[in-house]
Amino acid sequence: MIFAANLKCNHTRASFKIYAEILNKTIGVKCDDIIVFPPSVAFLEKENNFIQGAQNFYPCVNGAFTGELGKEHLDEFGIKCVLIGHSERRALGDEEFIKAKFDFAKEHGYKIVFCIGENLDTKNSGKTLEFLKKQLEIIDLNYERLIIAYEPIYSIGTGVSAQSTDIAKVLEFLASLTKAPLLYGGSVNENNIKEILSVNHCGGVLIGSAALKVENFIKLIKG
Ligand code: 13P
């Protein structure tokens, strides 16, 4: 199972250092199935037992892109894993860059956690699968370092995860399109993680709020 934590715009350099120290100690040995996406100013240079990923990047090595992070900056921290397509970034206008980001990350061999998910209107109009298929049309579903995270927008940050029957339907559909591991994200917490992980085709979780405290994240990993 893959356990990924998206810390979003939380944690400072100082607090993430402590977070990582505790997580490293708990994990003990290098583990590719635990991924943490800290804010970029908190990236750690030292080797960790978990995979450190970038919440965002610009599809360039370097250049005249004010305020952006290029490959050169990720390289400095040994970062080889990126999150692409998170709904919170799509809402900021990332949509047009998603394909460029995916192609760039694939070209450079990054592990890609690609997020998709529908809003409540789409769900209520019964168009979920059609919508998700469209979100996946622009990427290479056979890319060997691809992980897909299904994160329904209506569930993110609400404290209420999607129904496991709905998650099952979506994961079944996604599994018919790709062999990539499939994660679920959206209000995963200690009360629902067991049920979510037992959904057919579920290969792990992408956790926001419930992973902000390292002790909680560890509890979720340990099950
Ligand atoms: P929450 O777990 O806070 O709902 O966030 C999920 C998420 O967006 C992870 O990327």
Side-chain angles (χ1 to χ4, degrees):
M1 285 290 167
I2 295 169
F3 295 87
N6 177 9
L7 302 183
K8 307 189 179 182
C9 190
N10 299 289
H11 276 283
T12 61
R13 190 163 183 73
S15 71
F16 183 60
K17 193 163 170 268
I18 298 167
Y19 187 109
E21 268 165 21
I22 296 172
L23 190 56
N24 280 329
K25 219 177 271 169
T26 309
I27 304 172
V29 290
K30 195 141 190 68
C31 175
D32 279 357
D33 291 335
I34 298 176
I35 308 172
V36 183
F37 298 94
S40 54
V41 290
F43 286 155
L44 298 170
E45 278 176 72
K46 82 178 218 13
E47 275 284 301
N48 293 293
N49 287 334
F50 57 89
I51 292 187
Q52 186 173 225
Q55 292 177 22
N56 189 33
F57 67 100
Y58 197 78
C60 70
V61 173
N62 55 29
F65 304 105
T66 303
E68 300 290 354
L69 281 187
K71 178 175 183 294
E72 201 168 82
H73 309 101
L74 303 184
D75 285 349
E76 198 165 25
F77 297 94
I79 289 173
K80 291 266 161 253
C81 172
V82 291
L83 193 65
I84 300 178
H86 195 284
S87 56
E88 288 158 10
R89 290 229 49 101
R90 290 181 194 255
L92 293 174
D94 254 16
E95 201 75 47
E96 60 178 304
F97 282 120
I98 290 177
K99 185 173 162 37
K101 286 184 180 181
F102 183 91
D103 291 347
F104 183 88
K106 179 186 160 193
E107 183 193 337
H108 293 281
Y110 285 86
K111 186 193 280 282
I112 299 174
V113 180
F114 191 78
C115 302
I116 55 172
E118 84 282 33
N119 64 20
L120 200 54
D121 281 352
T122 303
K123 175 179 161 40
N124 289 341
S125 59
K127 296 206 167 110
T128 295
L129 301 185
E130 191 184 315
F131 180 82
L132 299 177
K133 188 158 189 261
K134 197 139 189 52
Q135 285 191 313
L136 292 173
E137 260 165 18
I138 54 167
I139 69 163
D140 174 8
L141 289 170
N142 295 316
Y143 177 51
E144 69 276 10
R145 302 205 73 206
L146 171 67
I147 296 171
I148 292 176
Y150 169 54
E151 297 208 307
I153 297 171
Y154 62 83
S155 160
I156 293 175
T158 61
V160 184
S161 74
Q163 303 271 334
S164 48
T165 45
D166 287 332
I167 301 173
K169 254 183 248 160
V170 168
L171 298 191
E172 182 79 45
F173 174 68
L174 297 177
S176 74
L177 302 176
T178 177
K179 288 191 167 55
L182 305 175
L183 311 185
Y184 168 80
S187 296
V188 173
N189 59 42
E190 59 182 317
N191 301 319
N192 58 29
I193 190 166
K194 228 180 159 166
E195 185 178 341
I196 290 168
L197 289 177
S198 69
V199 169
N200 204 14
H201 300 295
C202 184
V205 280
L206 177 53
I207 311 167
S209 330
L212 291 185
K213 286 201 175 113
V214 69
E215 294 79 10
N216 283 354
F217 185 41
I218 289 167
K219 232 195 249 168
L220 296 176
I221 294 169
K222 287 190 168 167

